PDB file of all heavy atoms in Angstrom:
ATOM      1  N   GLY F   1       2.880 -12.547   6.233  1.00  0.00           N
ATOM      2  CA  GLY F   1       3.129 -11.987   7.556  1.00  0.00           C
ATOM      3  C   GLY F   1       4.307 -11.034   7.615  1.00  0.00           C
ATOM      4  O   GLY F   1       4.840 -10.766   8.695  1.00  0.00           O
ATOM      5  N   ALA F   2       4.726 -10.513   6.467  1.00  0.00           N
ATOM      6  CA  ALA F   2       5.891  -9.624   6.442  1.00  0.00           C
ATOM      7  C   ALA F   2       5.428  -8.185   6.283  1.00  0.00           C
ATOM      8  O   ALA F   2       4.997  -7.775   5.208  1.00  0.00           O
ATOM      9  CB  ALA F   2       6.820 -10.020   5.295  1.00  0.00           C
ATOM     10  N   HIS F   3       5.495  -7.417   7.357  1.00  0.00           N
ATOM     11  CA  HIS F   3       5.088  -6.016   7.285  1.00  0.00           C
ATOM     12  C   HIS F   3       6.257  -5.168   6.796  1.00  0.00           C
ATOM     13  O   HIS F   3       7.299  -5.100   7.445  1.00  0.00           O
ATOM     14  CB  HIS F   3       4.622  -5.502   8.639  1.00  0.00           C
ATOM     15  CG  HIS F   3       4.325  -4.031   8.609  1.00  0.00           C
ATOM     16  ND1 HIS F   3       3.152  -3.531   8.087  1.00  0.00           N
ATOM     17  CD2 HIS F   3       5.071  -2.957   8.977  1.00  0.00           C
ATOM     18  CE1 HIS F   3       3.178  -2.203   8.156  1.00  0.00           C
ATOM     19  NE2 HIS F   3       4.329  -1.838   8.685  1.00  0.00           N
ATOM     20  N   HIS F   4       6.097  -4.545   5.650  1.00  0.00           N
ATOM     21  CA  HIS F   4       7.142  -3.673   5.111  1.00  0.00           C
ATOM     22  C   HIS F   4       6.755  -2.212   5.329  1.00  0.00           C
ATOM     23  O   HIS F   4       5.630  -1.891   5.722  1.00  0.00           O
ATOM     24  CB  HIS F   4       7.354  -3.956   3.620  1.00  0.00           C
ATOM     25  CG  HIS F   4       6.130  -3.753   2.786  1.00  0.00           C
ATOM     26  ND1 HIS F   4       5.661  -2.500   2.441  1.00  0.00           N
ATOM     27  CD2 HIS F   4       5.250  -4.634   2.222  1.00  0.00           C
ATOM     28  CE1 HIS F   4       4.578  -2.612   1.706  1.00  0.00           C
ATOM     29  NE2 HIS F   4       4.295  -3.897   1.567  1.00  0.00           N
ATOM     30  N   PHE F   5       7.694  -1.315   5.045  1.00  0.00           N
ATOM     31  CA  PHE F   5       7.485   0.111   5.248  1.00  0.00           C
ATOM     32  C   PHE F   5       7.348   0.884   3.935  1.00  0.00           C
ATOM     33  O   PHE F   5       7.413   2.116   3.946  1.00  0.00           O
ATOM     34  CB  PHE F   5       8.658   0.708   6.042  1.00  0.00           C
ATOM     35  CG  PHE F   5       8.740   0.240   7.463  1.00  0.00           C
ATOM     36  CD1 PHE F   5       9.806  -0.529   7.892  1.00  0.00           C
ATOM     37  CD2 PHE F   5       7.757   0.585   8.385  1.00  0.00           C
ATOM     38  CE1 PHE F   5       9.898  -0.954   9.206  1.00  0.00           C
ATOM     39  CE2 PHE F   5       7.838   0.166   9.704  1.00  0.00           C
ATOM     40  CZ  PHE F   5       8.912  -0.610  10.112  1.00  0.00           C
ATOM     41  N   SER F   6       7.187   0.194   2.827  1.00  0.00           N
ATOM     42  CA  SER F   6       7.203   0.863   1.526  1.00  0.00           C
ATOM     43  C   SER F   6       6.000   1.766   1.301  1.00  0.00           C
ATOM     44  O   SER F   6       6.032   2.623   0.412  1.00  0.00           O
ATOM     45  CB  SER F   6       7.296  -0.178   0.407  1.00  0.00           C
ATOM     46  OG  SER F   6       8.490  -0.913   0.521  1.00  0.00           O
ATOM     47  N   LEU F   7       4.950   1.578   2.078  1.00  0.00           N
ATOM     48  CA  LEU F   7       3.775   2.457   1.998  1.00  0.00           C
ATOM     49  C   LEU F   7       3.663   3.334   3.239  1.00  0.00           C
ATOM     50  O   LEU F   7       2.601   3.885   3.527  1.00  0.00           O
ATOM     51  CB  LEU F   7       2.508   1.617   1.812  1.00  0.00           C
ATOM     52  CG  LEU F   7       2.441   0.817   0.502  1.00  0.00           C
ATOM     53  CD1 LEU F   7       1.276  -0.167   0.523  1.00  0.00           C
ATOM     54  CD2 LEU F   7       2.329   1.744  -0.692  1.00  0.00           C
ATOM     55  N   GLY F   8       4.774   3.482   3.940  1.00  0.00           N
ATOM     56  CA  GLY F   8       4.772   4.283   5.149  1.00  0.00           C
ATOM     57  C   GLY F   8       4.322   3.481   6.355  1.00  0.00           C
ATOM     58  O   GLY F   8       4.166   2.256   6.307  1.00  0.00           O
ATOM     59  N   PHE F   9       4.099   4.193   7.447  1.00  0.00           N
ATOM     60  CA  PHE F   9       3.682   3.539   8.694  1.00  0.00           C
ATOM     61  C   PHE F   9       3.155   4.615   9.636  1.00  0.00           C
ATOM     62  O   PHE F   9       3.577   5.766   9.582  1.00  0.00           O
ATOM     63  CB  PHE F   9       4.873   2.805   9.331  1.00  0.00           C
ATOM     64  CG  PHE F   9       4.503   1.941  10.508  1.00  0.00           C
ATOM     65  CD1 PHE F   9       3.726   0.805  10.332  1.00  0.00           C
ATOM     66  CD2 PHE F   9       4.919   2.265  11.790  1.00  0.00           C
ATOM     67  CE1 PHE F   9       3.380  -0.001  11.411  1.00  0.00           C
ATOM     68  CE2 PHE F   9       4.585   1.475  12.875  1.00  0.00           C
ATOM     69  CZ  PHE F   9       3.808   0.334  12.677  1.00  0.00           C
ATOM     70  N   GLY F  10       2.223   4.241  10.485  1.00  0.00           N
ATOM     71  CA  GLY F  10       1.714   5.180  11.472  1.00  0.00           C
ATOM     72  C   GLY F  10       0.834   6.245  10.840  1.00  0.00           C
ATOM     73  O   GLY F  10       0.067   5.988   9.902  1.00  0.00           O
ATOM     74  N   THR F  11       0.955   7.470  11.342  1.00  0.00           N
ATOM     75  CA  THR F  11       0.099   8.572  10.930  1.00  0.00           C
ATOM     76  C   THR F  11       0.139   8.810   9.426  1.00  0.00           C
ATOM     77  O   THR F  11      -0.871   9.145   8.810  1.00  0.00           O
ATOM     78  CB  THR F  11       0.521   9.866  11.659  1.00  0.00           C
ATOM     79  OG1 THR F  11       0.427   9.648  13.060  1.00  0.00           O
ATOM     80  CG2 THR F  11      -0.387  11.025  11.271  1.00  0.00           C
ATOM     81  N   HIS F  12       1.313   8.631   8.823  1.00  0.00           N
ATOM     82  CA  HIS F  12       1.486   8.938   7.410  1.00  0.00           C
ATOM     83  C   HIS F  12       1.395   7.702   6.516  1.00  0.00           C
ATOM     84  O   HIS F  12       1.924   7.703   5.400  1.00  0.00           O
ATOM     85  CB  HIS F  12       2.820   9.649   7.186  1.00  0.00           C
ATOM     86  CG  HIS F  12       2.808  11.080   7.640  1.00  0.00           C
ATOM     87  ND1 HIS F  12       3.033  11.436   8.942  1.00  0.00           N
ATOM     88  CD2 HIS F  12       2.570  12.238   6.965  1.00  0.00           C
ATOM     89  CE1 HIS F  12       2.965  12.761   9.059  1.00  0.00           C
ATOM     90  NE2 HIS F  12       2.675  13.258   7.877  1.00  0.00           N
ATOM     91  N   TYR F  13       0.736   6.665   6.998  1.00  0.00           N
ATOM     92  CA  TYR F  13       0.540   5.495   6.147  1.00  0.00           C
ATOM     93  C   TYR F  13      -0.186   5.922   4.869  1.00  0.00           C
ATOM     94  O   TYR F  13      -1.118   6.722   4.911  1.00  0.00           O
ATOM     95  CB  TYR F  13      -0.278   4.437   6.885  1.00  0.00           C
ATOM     96  CG  TYR F  13      -0.374   3.110   6.175  1.00  0.00           C
ATOM     97  CD1 TYR F  13       0.762   2.370   5.897  1.00  0.00           C
ATOM     98  CD2 TYR F  13      -1.600   2.590   5.779  1.00  0.00           C
ATOM     99  CE1 TYR F  13       0.687   1.148   5.250  1.00  0.00           C
ATOM    100  CE2 TYR F  13      -1.696   1.373   5.133  1.00  0.00           C
ATOM    101  CZ  TYR F  13      -0.542   0.652   4.864  1.00  0.00           C
ATOM    102  OH  TYR F  13      -0.627  -0.562   4.208  1.00  0.00           O
ATOM    103  N   CYS F  14       0.274   5.417   3.734  1.00  0.00           N
ATOM    104  CA  CYS F  14      -0.196   5.874   2.425  1.00  0.00           C
ATOM    105  C   CYS F  14      -1.724   5.859   2.325  1.00  0.00           C
ATOM    106  O   CYS F  14      -2.359   4.804   2.445  1.00  0.00           O
ATOM    107  CB  CYS F  14       0.397   5.006   1.332  1.00  0.00           C
ATOM    108  SG  CYS F  14      -0.180   5.428  -0.329  1.00  0.00           S
ATOM    109  N   LEU F  15      -2.302   7.026   2.080  1.00  0.00           N
ATOM    110  CA  LEU F  15      -3.754   7.162   1.999  1.00  0.00           C
ATOM    111  C   LEU F  15      -4.318   6.380   0.811  1.00  0.00           C
ATOM    112  O   LEU F  15      -5.425   5.845   0.879  1.00  0.00           O
ATOM    113  CB  LEU F  15      -4.116   8.642   1.881  1.00  0.00           C
ATOM    114  CG  LEU F  15      -5.601   9.009   1.916  1.00  0.00           C
ATOM    115  CD1 LEU F  15      -6.226   8.600   3.240  1.00  0.00           C
ATOM    116  CD2 LEU F  15      -5.764  10.510   1.701  1.00  0.00           C
ATOM    117  N   GLY F  16      -3.561   6.322  -0.283  1.00  0.00           N
ATOM    118  CA  GLY F  16      -4.032   5.642  -1.483  1.00  0.00           C
ATOM    119  C   GLY F  16      -3.530   4.228  -1.639  1.00  0.00           C
ATOM    120  O   GLY F  16      -3.546   3.678  -2.747  1.00  0.00           O
ATOM    121  N   GLN F  17      -3.122   3.594  -0.522  1.00  0.00           N
ATOM    122  CA  GLN F  17      -2.518   2.256  -0.628  1.00  0.00           C
ATOM    123  C   GLN F  17      -3.473   1.218  -1.221  1.00  0.00           C
ATOM    124  O   GLN F  17      -3.060   0.359  -1.995  1.00  0.00           O
ATOM    125  CB  GLN F  17      -1.982   1.798   0.734  1.00  0.00           C
ATOM    126  CG  GLN F  17      -2.987   1.779   1.865  1.00  0.00           C
ATOM    127  CD  GLN F  17      -3.818   0.516   1.918  1.00  0.00           C
ATOM    128  OE1 GLN F  17      -3.418  -0.527   1.391  1.00  0.00           O
ATOM    129  NE2 GLN F  17      -4.996   0.597   2.537  1.00  0.00           N
ATOM    130  N   ALA F  18      -4.755   1.293  -0.885  1.00  0.00           N
ATOM    131  CA  ALA F  18      -5.705   0.318  -1.434  1.00  0.00           C
ATOM    132  C   ALA F  18      -5.838   0.480  -2.943  1.00  0.00           C
ATOM    133  O   ALA F  18      -5.928  -0.507  -3.685  1.00  0.00           O
ATOM    134  CB  ALA F  18      -7.066   0.473  -0.763  1.00  0.00           C
ATOM    135  N   LEU F  19      -5.829   1.718  -3.411  1.00  0.00           N
ATOM    136  CA  LEU F  19      -5.910   1.971  -4.845  1.00  0.00           C
ATOM    137  C   LEU F  19      -4.646   1.503  -5.548  1.00  0.00           C
ATOM    138  O   LEU F  19      -4.719   0.883  -6.613  1.00  0.00           O
ATOM    139  CB  LEU F  19      -6.131   3.464  -5.098  1.00  0.00           C
ATOM    140  CG  LEU F  19      -6.226   3.887  -6.568  1.00  0.00           C
ATOM    141  CD1 LEU F  19      -7.380   3.180  -7.261  1.00  0.00           C
ATOM    142  CD2 LEU F  19      -6.380   5.404  -6.671  1.00  0.00           C
ATOM    143  N   ALA F  20      -3.486   1.768  -4.973  1.00  0.00           N
ATOM    144  CA  ALA F  20      -2.225   1.328  -5.576  1.00  0.00           C
ATOM    145  C   ALA F  20      -2.169  -0.191  -5.682  1.00  0.00           C
ATOM    146  O   ALA F  20      -1.755  -0.746  -6.708  1.00  0.00           O
ATOM    147  CB  ALA F  20      -1.050   1.841  -4.757  1.00  0.00           C
ATOM    148  N   ARG F  21      -2.604  -0.864  -4.619  1.00  0.00           N
ATOM    149  CA  ARG F  21      -2.606  -2.334  -4.644  1.00  0.00           C
ATOM    150  C   ARG F  21      -3.585  -2.862  -5.692  1.00  0.00           C
ATOM    151  O   ARG F  21      -3.300  -3.841  -6.389  1.00  0.00           O
ATOM    152  CB  ARG F  21      -2.965  -2.873  -3.263  1.00  0.00           C
ATOM    153  CG  ARG F  21      -1.843  -2.774  -2.233  1.00  0.00           C
ATOM    154  CD  ARG F  21      -2.253  -3.474  -0.941  1.00  0.00           C
ATOM    155  NE  ARG F  21      -1.127  -3.707  -0.062  1.00  0.00           N
ATOM    156  CZ  ARG F  21      -0.857  -2.987   1.016  1.00  0.00           C
ATOM    157  NH1 ARG F  21      -1.639  -1.961   1.337  1.00  0.00           N
ATOM    158  NH2 ARG F  21       0.178  -3.279   1.784  1.00  0.00           N
ATOM    159  N   LEU F  22      -4.751  -2.218  -5.794  1.00  0.00           N
ATOM    160  CA  LEU F  22      -5.737  -2.638  -6.786  1.00  0.00           C
ATOM    161  C   LEU F  22      -5.179  -2.479  -8.194  1.00  0.00           C
ATOM    162  O   LEU F  22      -5.270  -3.400  -9.018  1.00  0.00           O
ATOM    163  CB  LEU F  22      -7.013  -1.816  -6.631  1.00  0.00           C
ATOM    164  CG  LEU F  22      -8.072  -1.992  -7.732  1.00  0.00           C
ATOM    165  CD1 LEU F  22      -8.618  -3.410  -7.715  1.00  0.00           C
ATOM    166  CD2 LEU F  22      -9.194  -0.967  -7.564  1.00  0.00           C
ATOM    167  N   GLU F  23      -4.613  -1.318  -8.505  1.00  0.00           N
ATOM    168  CA  GLU F  23      -4.070  -1.091  -9.836  1.00  0.00           C
ATOM    169  C   GLU F  23      -2.977  -2.102 -10.166  1.00  0.00           C
ATOM    170  O   GLU F  23      -2.958  -2.680 -11.265  1.00  0.00           O
ATOM    171  CB  GLU F  23      -3.497   0.323  -9.931  1.00  0.00           C
ATOM    172  CG  GLU F  23      -4.534   1.416  -9.913  1.00  0.00           C
ATOM    173  CD  GLU F  23      -3.888   2.781  -9.963  1.00  0.00           C
ATOM    174  OE1 GLU F  23      -3.618   3.261 -11.085  1.00  0.00           O
ATOM    175  OE2 GLU F  23      -3.642   3.379  -8.904  1.00  0.00           O
ATOM    176  N   ALA F  24      -2.051  -2.315  -9.228  1.00  0.00           N
ATOM    177  CA  ALA F  24      -0.947  -3.242  -9.474  1.00  0.00           C
ATOM    178  C   ALA F  24      -1.462  -4.662  -9.663  1.00  0.00           C
ATOM    179  O   ALA F  24      -1.001  -5.396 -10.557  1.00  0.00           O
ATOM    180  CB  ALA F  24       0.049  -3.186  -8.322  1.00  0.00           C
ATOM    181  N   ARG F  25      -2.426  -5.067  -8.830  1.00  0.00           N
ATOM    182  CA  ARG F  25      -2.970  -6.427  -8.959  1.00  0.00           C
ATOM    183  C   ARG F  25      -3.622  -6.640 -10.316  1.00  0.00           C
ATOM    184  O   ARG F  25      -3.341  -7.633 -11.005  1.00  0.00           O
ATOM    185  CB  ARG F  25      -3.984  -6.691  -7.843  1.00  0.00           C
ATOM    186  CG  ARG F  25      -4.757  -8.004  -8.026  1.00  0.00           C
ATOM    187  CD  ARG F  25      -5.684  -8.289  -6.885  1.00  0.00           C
ATOM    188  NE  ARG F  25      -6.763  -7.339  -6.728  1.00  0.00           N
ATOM    189  CZ  ARG F  25      -7.899  -7.366  -7.447  1.00  0.00           C
ATOM    190  NH1 ARG F  25      -8.060  -8.269  -8.411  1.00  0.00           N
ATOM    191  NH2 ARG F  25      -8.861  -6.490  -7.212  1.00  0.00           N
ATOM    192  N   VAL F  26      -4.480  -5.704 -10.723  1.00  0.00           N
ATOM    193  CA  VAL F  26      -5.193  -5.876 -11.987  1.00  0.00           C
ATOM    194  C   VAL F  26      -4.219  -5.831 -13.163  1.00  0.00           C
ATOM    195  O   VAL F  26      -4.333  -6.634 -14.097  1.00  0.00           O
ATOM    196  CB  VAL F  26      -6.285  -4.799 -12.133  1.00  0.00           C
ATOM    197  CG1 VAL F  26      -6.918  -4.871 -13.520  1.00  0.00           C
ATOM    198  CG2 VAL F  26      -7.353  -4.986 -11.058  1.00  0.00           C
ATOM    199  N   MET F  27      -3.259  -4.929 -13.124  1.00  0.00           N
ATOM    200  CA  MET F  27      -2.287  -4.867 -14.219  1.00  0.00           C
ATOM    201  C   MET F  27      -1.507  -6.174 -14.340  1.00  0.00           C
ATOM    202  O   MET F  27      -1.289  -6.681 -15.450  1.00  0.00           O
ATOM    203  CB  MET F  27      -1.333  -3.693 -14.026  1.00  0.00           C
ATOM    204  CG  MET F  27      -1.912  -2.362 -14.472  1.00  0.00           C
ATOM    205  SD  MET F  27      -0.669  -1.032 -14.551  1.00  0.00           S
ATOM    206  CE  MET F  27      -0.736  -0.443 -12.860  1.00  0.00           C
ATOM    207  N   LEU F  28      -1.088  -6.742 -13.207  1.00  0.00           N
ATOM    208  CA  LEU F  28      -0.348  -7.999 -13.255  1.00  0.00           C
ATOM    209  C   LEU F  28      -1.234  -9.155 -13.703  1.00  0.00           C
ATOM    210  O   LEU F  28      -0.793 -10.031 -14.461  1.00  0.00           O
ATOM    211  CB  LEU F  28       0.276  -8.297 -11.894  1.00  0.00           C
ATOM    212  CG  LEU F  28       1.505  -7.456 -11.527  1.00  0.00           C
ATOM    213  CD1 LEU F  28       1.991  -7.813 -10.133  1.00  0.00           C
ATOM    214  CD2 LEU F  28       2.624  -7.672 -12.542  1.00  0.00           C
TER     215      LEU F  28
END
C-alpha cells in the first residue's frame, strides 16, 4: 500500500513501467 513516485505520477507516469517491473522481477 505504499505509493512511491519513482516511476513518476499523473500525466507523465512512466509509459514502460510494466516492462521495467517485468524485467526486474524475472531477473531477480
Side-chain angles (χ1 to χ4, degrees):
H3 175 79
H4 59 76
F5 292 114
S6 298
L7 296 170
F9 188 67
T11 301
H12 285 84
Y13 188 61
C14 177
L15 186 62
Q17 56 84 22
L19 180 60
R21 285 186 165 103
L22 171 65
E23 290 178 86
R25 171 176 65 81
V26 173
M27 279 191 273
L28 285 178

